[in-house]
Amino acid sequence: MFGLGLPEMGIVAVVAILIFGPKKIPELGNALGKTLRSFKDGISQSDDEAIDKEKDKEEEGQPKV
């Protein structure tokens, strides 16, 4: 994972606790999770819209009987 081993991840965790405090870390993790979830939903929604537009273009190009 990005070339980080257990000692490096431990150092990052200690620095994060020193900067934000132990009570703020879960709140930051929760906010990060919500942000990533909404980003993922937005990406999938835009993909669905792009697929729908392609289908509409294909249907417009076909002659109606």
Side-chain angles (χ1 to χ4, degrees):
M1 181 173 145
F2 304 113
L4 294 177
L6 190 58
E8 290 87 1
M9 291 186 346
I11 291 171
V12 169
V14 168
V15 170
I17 290 173
L18 290 174
I19 292 173
F20 298 111
K23 292 184 180 179
K24 194 73 172 172
I25 298 291
E27 294 174 17
L28 292 172
N30 190 13
L32 180 63
K34 286 181 181 178
T35 302
L36 291 175
R37 192 176 309 119
S38 67
F39 181 74
K40 180 182 171 184
D41 291 343
I43 294 293
S44 66
Q45 184 180 15
S46 67
D47 287 345
D48 292 341
E49 289 174 0
I51 291 170
D52 290 342
K53 286 181 183 180
E54 288 294 323
K55 287 181 182 178
D56 290 343
K57 286 181 182 179
E58 290 175 2
E59 289 175 359
E60 290 176 359
Q62 295 176 352
K64 296 183 180 179
V65 178

